[in-house]
Amino acid sequence: MRIVIADDAVLLREGLVRLLTERGHQVVAAVADGDALVAAVVAHRPDVSIVDVRMPPSHTDEGLRAAVEGRRLVPRTPILVLSQYVEVSYAEDLLATGAGIGYLLKDRVAAIGEFLDALERVAGGGTVLDPEVIGQLFARRRRDDPLRNLTPREREVLALMAEGHSNTAIARTLVVTDGAVEKHVRNIFTKLDLPPDTEQHRRVRAVLTYLRT
């Protein structure tokens, strides 16, 4: 494979160059900042790029932003991101750009066979995520999910509300009383933190929350 490496840590960058070269791959560019990464992707159109999230000058998300820009200029360019820590928001931004994406913690590089396998899968258009990344993505989604406190029955009621059914129609569908549905609806409003308002307005706001999730 033809590979671009972007990492400002000289030892890791040169170590990757040596490892990949010894395995028969061609490292077409090894750079230390985001601008150089974008230029290398445009110039070489590599089979895959290995990118550190944090690079100069601010050492925050320059690597990721450069990788996304590279994919914009050269669509579907495969990218394997390496990070010292799990950056959940960065991982989500990266996954939103499409297939051919990987996100691994740098510690995984030590497991050479697994690292090379992940690199090949990303180059082939697959998605590879570090188990730590997956765990934190799910944890974040659970925390951010406005519906997390609803019971299964309340979710059913809200789903039927989203389809435009009245309370009476929902009661018929679920084979419960109108009073039971009204109680579920009140609980939904409370759990979604929808303060007293006109019934119809709160209903619309609850449905919009459901649709956004």
Side-chain angles (χ1 to χ4, degrees):
M1 294 185 292
R2 300 172 66 257
I3 301 171
V4 165
I5 299 172
D7 197 311
D8 66 310
V10 177
L11 288 178
L12 179 58
R13 187 173 70 241
E14 295 305 316
L16 286 172
V17 170
R18 180 172 179 178
L19 169 65
L20 295 169
T21 300
E22 289 177 348
R23 296 304 174 106
H25 301 301
Q26 180 185 4
V27 177
V28 294
V31 301
D33 63 73
D35 290 342
L37 167 63
V38 174
V41 168
V42 172
H44 299 287
R45 297 178 179 262
D47 297 309
V48 62
S49 297
I50 302 173
V51 182
D52 183 19
V53 169
R54 298 182 175 187
M55 289 197 291
S58 71
H59 291 279
T60 54
D61 63 346
E62 283 88 348
L64 177 65
R65 286 190 284 110
V68 172
E69 175 65 8
R71 280 176 72 95
R72 186 185 70 80
L73 296 173
V74 184
R76 296 182 295 279
T77 297
I79 299 168
L80 175 60
V81 167
L82 298 179
S83 180
Q84 193 69 41
Y85 310 100
V86 177
E87 309 277 4
V88 176
S89 62
Y90 298 156
E92 291 182 333
D93 290 344
L94 186 65
L95 289 169
T97 66
I101 293 296
Y103 192 118
L104 296 179
L105 295 182
K106 287 186 175 180
D107 291 346
R108 308 296 180 190
V109 177
I112 295 175
E114 294 179 13
F115 169 69
L116 293 174
D117 177 65
L119 188 64
E120 290 180 4
R121 281 187 282 152
V122 170
T127 299
V128 177
L129 291 177
D130 193 288
E132 288 287 333
V133 175
I134 294 173
Q136 293 201 32
L137 280 173
F138 277 119
R140 173 172 172 158
R141 286 179 180 175
R142 283 195 296 270
R143 289 195 303 270
D144 294 345
D145 182 6
L147 308 183
R148 66 187 180 280
N149 293 324
L150 300 188
T151 66
R153 176 62 87 183
E154 288 163 356
R155 285 175 179 260
E156 284 184 290
V157 170
L158 183 53
L160 290 168
M161 287 168 58
E163 293 176 10
H165 296 293
S166 66
N167 285 2
T168 299
I170 293 172
R172 280 199 305 268
T173 300
L174 299 179
V175 194
V176 297
T177 66
D178 286 5
V181 173
E182 290 171 5
K183 181 180 179 180
H184 288 314
V185 171
R186 287 196 301 271
N187 289 340
I188 290 168
F189 291 159
T190 299
K191 292 179 180 180
L192 295 184
D193 195 24
L194 297 175
D197 201 335
T198 64
E199 179 77 11
Q200 190 60 30
H201 189 207
R202 286 205 291 177
R203 201 176 184 93
V204 170
R205 291 173 64 191
V207 167
L208 288 175
T209 299
Y210 172 77
L211 294 176
R212 281 196 294 268
T213 59

